[in-house]
């Protein structure tokens, strides 16, 4: 199983938005919590009227696209990602939003900002992809103003474990699907505290109720890299869904760390 902060895995998974979009689609269509994750994320973040915000690992820019109606004129928002393809996608997605966003192609351990110049840094499900997390956390701490905060979302050990079982049964080998996360709900506080002594965790409650075999196949193949042929995987999932009465309940285990400077 590949480590989530492997440079080759990150490059393979995020050079384009295709794999990420397949995973986002499953959550958008089948989450039982009707309140969008991106709305929830912004709800947790304390932002004054003139806040300076820097997002690391912005992906497709969905956080700001979803919250376009909530943006305040005084917010200075920069979206960054080490993938130029992701930054291009975010820029395109936000082209119609009436707010002057900034965009940067940079890794999380080299933030192009002056010391103590940022109120909030957002890391939404991405710190587990950082090769040198201590260096990135020190860099984030460097750019944060006194009293500023890092908001870092991640998953726990129980996140979507039903898919581990599904894929293990399909392959005939006991395995954990996808990546071994290096930054989780279980170890995140310990990793943050050497740099941010004040750390708290906000849990998020949700699950998936999926009745579409094609969507599950797309999700699984987005993680495995398409190493399995789609047709036998799809047939297997269709049979399993039928045996479950046409629906599969998949648990989520996610939350947001708040680490204050």
């Amino acid at each position: 199983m590949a480590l989530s902060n492997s440079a080759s895995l990150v490059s393979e998974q995020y050079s384009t938005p295709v794999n990420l979009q397949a995973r986002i689609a499953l959550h958008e269509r089948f989450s039982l919590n009707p309140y969008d994750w991106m709305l929830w994320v912004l709800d947790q973040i304390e932002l004054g009227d003139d806040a300076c915000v820097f997002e690391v690992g912005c992906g497709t820019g969905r956080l700001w696209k979803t919250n376009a109606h909530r943006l305040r004129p005084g917010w200075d928002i920069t979206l960054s990602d080490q993938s130029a393809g992701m930054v291009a996608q975010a820029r395109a997605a936000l082209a119609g939003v009436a707010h002057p966003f900034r965009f940067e192609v940079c890794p999380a351990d080299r933030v192009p900002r002056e010391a103590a110049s940022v109120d909030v840094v957002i890391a939404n499900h991405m710190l587990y992809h950082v090769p040198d997390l201590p260096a990135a956390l020190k860099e984030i701490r460097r750019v944060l103003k006194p009293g500023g905060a890092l908001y870092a979302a991640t998953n726990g050990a129980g996140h979507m474990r039903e898919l581990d079982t599904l894929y293990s049964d399909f392959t005939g080998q006991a395995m954990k699907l996808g990546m071994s996360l290096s930054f989780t709900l279980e170890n995140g506080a310990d990793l943050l505290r050497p740099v941010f002594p004040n750390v708290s965790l906000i849990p998020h409650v949700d699950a998936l109720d999926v009745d579409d075999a094609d969507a599950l196949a797309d999700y699984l193949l987005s993680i495995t890299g398409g190493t399995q042929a789609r047709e036998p995987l799809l047939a297997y999932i269709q049979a399993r869904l039928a045996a479950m009465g046409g629906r599969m309940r998949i648990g989520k285990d996610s939350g947001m760390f708040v680490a204050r400077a």
Side-chain angles (χ1 to χ4, degrees):
M1 178 171 39
L3 294 175
S4 60
N5 60 356
S6 160
S8 60
L9 181 143
V10 173
S11 176
E12 175 186 319
Q13 280 288 321
Y14 299 106
S15 59
T16 73
V18 174
N19 290 325
L20 180 60
Q21 293 286 30
R23 295 195 282 275
I24 289 173
L26 191 76
H27 291 280
E28 286 184 333
R29 290 182 60 195
F30 301 107
S31 287
L32 291 176
N33 188 333
Y35 197 66
D36 190 281
W37 165 261
M38 295 300 184
L39 296 176
W40 182 87
V41 167
L42 194 63
D43 284 350
Q44 313 315 309
I45 300 173
E46 298 176 14
L47 291 171
D49 288 340
D50 298 313
C52 180
V53 183
F54 196 97
E55 183 178 11
V56 292
C58 68
T60 62
R62 200 167 73 88
L63 174 61
W64 307 106
K65 181 74 170 180
T66 302
N67 287 287
H69 62 291
R70 307 170 72 186
L71 301 179
R72 300 180 195 174
W75 288 355
D76 181 351
I77 303 171
T78 299
L79 287 74
S80 76
D81 203 291
Q82 72 172 20
S83 166
M86 286 294 186
V87 172
Q89 179 75 12
R91 188 189 295 271
L94 295 170
V97 177
H99 192 89
F101 296 100
R102 304 171 192 260
F103 299 90
E104 299 277 2
V105 178
C106 64
D109 60 356
R110 292 197 296 276
V111 178
R113 290 292 179 272
E114 295 181 359
S117 63
V118 176
D119 294 294
V120 164
V121 173
I122 301 171
N124 186 11
H125 282 104
M126 63 75 56
L127 285 183
Y128 43 67
H129 289 315
V130 175
D132 189 345
L133 183 58
L137 293 178
K138 289 176 184 177
E139 177 70 348
I140 290 169
R141 176 65 183 84
R142 179 187 70 82
V143 302
L144 280 172
K145 297 176 182 178
L150 164 66
Y151 292 83
T154 191
N155 298 325
H159 189 65
M160 302 180 76
R161 66 176 61 182
E162 294 83 359
L163 291 185
D164 293 341
T165 301
L166 178 68
Y167 196 69
S168 295
D169 291 347
F170 171 67
T171 61
Q173 301 179 36
M175 60 189 297
K176 181 171 175 56
L177 183 68
M179 303 170 285
S180 176
L181 299 187
S182 56
F183 178 84
T184 67
L185 295 182
E186 289 77 22
N187 70 4
D190 290 337
L191 293 171
L192 289 164
R193 283 197 181 104
V195 181
F196 297 92
N198 184 350
V199 178
S200 59
L201 175 61
I202 307 170
H204 181 262
V205 179
D206 199 1
L208 301 175
D209 186 29
V210 185
D211 62 358
D212 187 331
D214 284 286
L216 284 172
D218 288 342
Y219 186 97
L220 293 173
L221 290 173
S222 79
I223 296 174
T224 63
T227 55
Q228 297 286 345
R230 179 183 174 82
E231 291 75 14
L233 176 61
L234 180 60
Y236 183 79
I237 296 172
Q238 288 171 334
R240 286 292 296 269
L241 279 181
M244 297 176 184
R247 314 189 76 86
M248 182 177 186
R249 180 66 63 90
I250 301 169
K252 293 190 189 184
D253 186 16
S254 300
M256 173 85 76
F257 285 105
V258 184
R260 300 193 181 277

